[in-house]
C-alpha cells in the first residue's frame, strides 16, 4: 500500500507532524511518499492507494502558501479521486475562534467533493492545548493506518 503524505506548514509544525506520520507509517509496513506542498500532477503521478494531509491554518483561516495553488488546482481541474481513502490532520489554534483549523477543513471538503473517502474523522490539533502535536497525533495515526490496512 502506497501512502502519499502532504504537509502544508508556515512555521514547521505541520511538517514535523507529517514527518512523524511518515516514520510511523513505514513502521506499520506502508510505502510512503512524502511531499511538502503538492501539485495535482505530482499527486496523480504517484498513483497512491491512500492520502494523508497535515495542514496548518494561517492568516484568518487561510491555507499555508505551499498549498494554496494545489487547493485552487484541485478545484479548477477537479480530478476525481473516487474511493481514495484519506485522512486530514488539521493544525490550528482555538484562540482564533471561528477560523479554528479552517484550512484543514477546506482541504477535507475539497477531497470529499472529489469523491475521495475519509478513512477516519479529521484530527484537530490545537496549539492552545498542546506543545507536543506529533506525539498527540500517534493514536489517531494508529487508527488511520489500521483503517487503511483493515
Ligand atoms: C499569523 C498566524 C495566523 C494564524 N491563524 C490561524 C487561524 O486562522 N486559525 C487557526 O486555527 N490557527 C491559526 N494559527 C495557528 C496555527 O495554525 C498553529 O499554530 C499551527 O500549529 C501552526 O503550524 P505550522 O508551524 O505548521 O505553521 C495562526 C498562527 C499564526 C502565527
Amino acid at each position: 500500500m502506497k501512502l502519499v503524505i502532504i504537509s502544508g506548514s508556515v512555521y514547521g509544525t505541520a511538517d514535523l507532524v507529517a514527518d512523524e506520520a511518515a516514520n510511523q507509517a513505514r513502521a506499520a509496513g506502508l510505502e510512503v511518499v512524502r511531499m511538502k506542498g503538492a501539485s495535482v500532477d505530482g499527486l496523480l503521478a504517484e498513483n497512491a492507494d491512500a492520502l494523508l494531509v497535515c495542514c496548518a491554518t494561517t492568516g484568518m483561516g487561510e491555507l499555508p502558501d505551499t498549498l494554496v495553488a494545489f487547493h485552487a488546482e484541485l478545484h479548477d481541474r477537479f480530478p476525481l479521486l473516487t474511493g481514495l481513502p484519506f485522512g486530514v490532520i488539521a493544525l490550528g489554534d482555538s484562540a482564533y475562534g471561528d477560523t479554528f483549523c479552517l484550512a484543514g477543513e477546506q482541504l477535507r471538503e475539497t477531497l470529499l467533493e472529489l469523491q475521495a473517502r475519509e478513512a477516519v474523522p479529521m484530527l484537530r490539533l490545537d496549539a492552545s492545548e498542546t506543545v507536543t502535536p506529533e506525539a498527540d497525533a500517534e493514536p489517531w495515526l494508529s487508527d488511520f493506518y489500521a483503517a487503511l490496512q483493515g
Side-chain angles (χ1 to χ4, degrees):
M1 152 124 8
K2 186 183 199 178
L3 172 69
V4 169
I5 302 180
I6 294 172
S7 60
S9 183
V10 179
Y11 297 103
T13 320
D15 288 338
L16 187 67
V17 170
D19 288 342
E20 284 298 320
N23 290 339
Q24 203 174 322
R26 291 189 183 103
L30 298 167
E31 180 189 347
V32 176
V33 177
R34 176 76 179 87
M35 297 179 181
K36 290 188 183 179
S39 68
V40 167
D41 284 336
L43 173 61
L44 296 180
E46 292 300 340
N47 212 2
D49 300 304
L51 175 65
L52 173 64
V53 179
C54 300
C55 182
T57 296
T58 190
M60 296 292 285
E62 281 142 38
L63 289 155
D65 282 350
T66 49
L67 291 184
V68 169
F70 175 59
H71 190 236
E73 210 188 347
L74 285 175
H75 273 278
D76 293 346
R77 291 177 54 184
F78 218 72
L80 286 181
L81 303 172
T82 308
L84 180 74
F86 77 92
V88 175
I89 297 179
L91 291 92
D93 188 331
S94 57
Y96 286 86
D98 285 350
T99 65
F100 178 50
C101 288
L102 197 59
E105 305 258 12
Q106 286 174 342
L107 279 169
R108 173 182 176 271
E109 294 281 322
T110 299
L111 290 169
L112 289 172
E113 285 171 27
L114 296 171
Q115 297 178 19
R117 178 179 62 80
E118 191 171 36
V120 293
M122 187 170 86
L123 174 67
R124 293 172 182 77
L125 294 172
D126 183 354
S128 287
E129 298 277 327
T130 180
V131 291
T132 54
E134 68 285 5
D136 294 351
E138 276 176 25
W140 183 93
L141 286 166
S142 294
D143 289 350
F144 178 61
Y145 299 141
L148 295 183
Q149 291 173 312

